Amino acid sequence: MRKSMKRDIDQQKMDHAGHTVHEEYEKYAGTSSQGCDAVGTRTHECAGDREYYRSLAQQHWDSLGKPIDSLGVLEQHVTKLCMIERTAQPHITRRALAVLCADHGCVRGGVTQTDSSVTRIVAENFARGLTTTSVLAQQFAVDLFPIDVGMLSAGDSRSSGVPTDDEIRATSSSQISASSGPMPTSTALRTDCVNDRCLQHGSGDIAIEPAMSEEVGERALALGRRLVRELKAQGYDILLTGEMGIGNTTPTSALFSAYLGLPVEETVGRGAGLSDEGLERKRDCVRRALRRVNHKNAKQLLFELGGLEIATMAGMFLGAVEEQMPIVIDGAISTAAALAASRILAESNASDTTNSATVATVSASKPEQMSNPEVKRIAESAADALPDFEIHASVADVTLASHVSKDGAARKALEALGLRAIIDADMSLGEGSGAVLLLPLLDAALAVYRGMGSFDDIHVEAYQRFK
């Protein structure tokens, strides 16, 4: 082991500035909220703890024998892992990818190139190890769990893995908080089969009806939170989000338009491949969905316009906040889920005057900037429903963005979340593929963080950080 790593930077030893770790902790402890013991307190991030570990990680990066910040976003991601895990030596050895599978009623309107039967075929091929993401997961030591949360056809829609009413109350209350009591017994998640957590068989056609009822939506959020607890209990260090659902870029586009106030032309793309006629059908579906919806509540918008896998994934982001686990966004669909979770958490905490989490406000796009009269009218309706776009910082605090999807408004959604993706490669596969590809980059950054020589080791005068 290199001489620079003989000191344990996570123990009470002298740092390079001559302070003890205990002294550094005391420096930041005063900024901490009182306790981190419940998510009404857990979502109020222990700011002192996070800043303490950020400082430790930054000091260590600056001590390494290279130009300051020269690994860019890679350094920031490692520092964020230190802050989430509350350690100066983060680990992402055990990795779990939850691929949430569901079908969508909008497919009946001709918004896709294939029919919904492909969802189940691909889901079963995850279990057989035959998909792109299966191969990537095997390559980079990721356990891939295919999970049916709303596919059509066979399966009991009320399996033992579906949340109970007690769990749902924790999610549907005005204050998002940690569930109390033990988790109900259910079949353990497996990688060699499609795990049955089906909430209902397919979502509604958002052009003419809600994607799901409020009850089913609450169950989806609770299921997502529960999946995080299950995987954490199994010893995983980091969670990756993925999905499979023919047609799911359509509800994703609707959510981007509703949450960001963007025109349909900007949010609706060709998905897995559409003709010009198919693209217009997809845009028309989203326009009709936005025309139908006039809610200001972020959760209602998710249930009206989203999908069962998107709602469940939003629950996973909420669960990651509660459990303080690092979680990785894949592409457009999981970005929409993170966006929904941020909105829901922001709104649920809006009346809490003691909340210490930061809320950022992003103004919606101005409808008068759009030329098409119909698009303008729809956008005005969406802007009336959501005059301001609020983001709760707690979701971004535990989230790593993997790549910028070429589909729709994913880049703007990431910017709204305050997240920076490392990979920009025109990817649009989904399934968690981009999330998996982030891991070798994180592994490389962690290897440098742990093993590189310091300025003292290489006998070079240290660079100075100038602000």
Side-chain angles (χ1 to χ4, degrees), residues 419-456:
L419 296 172
R420 171 81 179 274
I422 290 180
I423 303 169
D424 190 348
D426 278 348
M427 293 174 59
S428 59
L429 175 63
E431 303 177 5
S433 55
V436 175
L437 285 171
L438 175 65
L439 294 178
L441 293 172
L442 291 180
D443 286 339
L446 284 166
V448 173
Y449 179 80
R450 293 169 183 149
M452 184 179 177
S454 69
F455 284 106
D456 289 342

Side-chain angles (χ1 to χ4, degrees), residues 354-374:
T354 64
N355 181 14
S356 63
T358 304
V359 176
T361 301
V362 179
S363 298
S365 298
K366 298 295 187 290
E368 58 268 22
Q369 296 173 350
M370 306 166 200
S371 57
N372 186 306
E374 175 67 7

Side-chain angles (χ1 to χ4, degrees), residues 142-459:
V142 178
D143 291 335
L144 189 159
F145 297 95
I147 305 171
D148 175 8
V149 298
M151 289 195 294
L152 295 172
S153 71
D156 180 2
S157 63
R158 288 292 177 266
S159 69
S160 61
V162 174
T164 64
D165 290 339
D166 288 341
E167 288 187 287
I168 292 164
R169 291 189 198 100
T171 303
S172 60
S173 61
S174 60
Q175 174 71 37
I176 299 292
S177 60
S179 298
S180 59
M183 187 175 64
T185 302
S186 65
T187 304
L189 291 170
R190 294 168 52 182
T191 62
D192 62 347
C193 68
V194 178
N195 296 272
D196 186 4
R197 300 290 190 273
C198 189
L199 297 156
Q200 72 178 28
H201 295 305
S203 62
D205 180 354
I206 62 171
I208 59 175
E209 61 186 342
M212 68 202 77
S213 68
E214 182 177 348
E215 177 187 359
V216 171
E218 295 291 358
R219 288 186 180 276
L221 290 174
L223 174 57
R225 295 165 65 239
R226 176 175 168 175
L227 289 172
V228 173
R229 296 198 303 274
E230 285 187 52
L231 292 168
K232 182 177 182 179
Q234 291 181 31
Y236 287 98
D237 302 311
I238 188 168
L239 303 180
L240 286 65
T241 57
E243 40 61 43
M244 178 59 211
I246 297 300
N248 63 9
T249 59
T250 301
T252 294
S253 298
L255 289 171
F256 282 155
S257 284
Y259 286 150
L260 298 174
L262 296 172
V264 169
E265 280 77 5
E266 191 169 338
T267 63
V268 177
R270 294 183 186 269
L274 283 175
S275 64
D276 290 344
E277 293 78 9
L279 177 61
E280 186 51 42
R281 286 193 297 270
K282 187 174 179 180
R283 287 174 175 168
D284 182 63
C285 175
V286 173
R287 290 189 189 108
R288 292 166 65 194
L290 292 173
R291 187 185 305 129
R292 189 178 53 75
V293 172
N294 59 3
H295 300 296
K296 293 184 179 181
N297 184 289
K299 191 185 291 187
Q300 290 175 317
L301 282 168
L302 176 62
F303 300 164
E304 287 274 356
L305 301 175
L308 295 159
E309 79 277 47
I310 299 173
T312 303
M313 196 178 292
M316 288 188 66
F317 285 105
L318 294 175
V321 172
E322 294 171 2
E323 300 297 331
Q324 286 298 284
M325 281 197 76
I327 186 168
V328 181
I329 291 177
D330 179 35
I333 287 87
S334 55
T335 302
L339 201 57
S342 295
R343 287 283 332 242
I344 290 168
L345 198 53
E347 290 182 359
S348 70
N349 283 278
S351 61
D352 184 359
T353 57
T354 64
N355 181 14
S356 63
T358 304
V359 176
T361 301
V362 179
S363 298
S365 298
K366 298 295 187 290
E368 58 268 22
Q369 296 173 350
M370 306 166 200
S371 57
N372 186 306
E374 175 67 7
V375 173
K376 180 178 178 180
R377 194 187 68 75
I378 297 300
E380 286 173 342
S381 176
D384 288 341
L386 290 166
D388 289 305
F389 176 56
E390 293 186 340
I391 291 294
H392 199 282
S394 293
V395 172
D397 285 345
V398 298
T399 302
L400 303 175
S402 60
H403 78 104
V404 181
S405 173
K406 74 173 184 179
D407 195 33
R411 188 183 299 272
K412 288 193 174 182
L414 287 175
E415 290 172 355
L417 286 164
L419 296 172
R420 171 81 179 274
I422 290 180
I423 303 169
D424 190 348
D426 278 348
M427 293 174 59
S428 59
L429 175 63
E431 303 177 5
S433 55
V436 175
L437 285 171
L438 175 65
L439 294 178
L441 293 172
L442 291 180
D443 286 339
L446 284 166
V448 173
Y449 179 80
R450 293 169 183 149
M452 184 179 177
S454 69
F455 284 106
D456 289 342
D457 292 332
I458 65 175
H459 307 293

Side-chain angles (χ1 to χ4, degrees), residues 45-59:
E45 296 285 349
C46 290
D49 280 355
R50 290 182 57 84
E51 180 59 21
Y52 163 58
Y53 287 108
R54 186 208 62 78
S55 177
L56 279 184
Q58 191 65 70
Q59 287 173 15

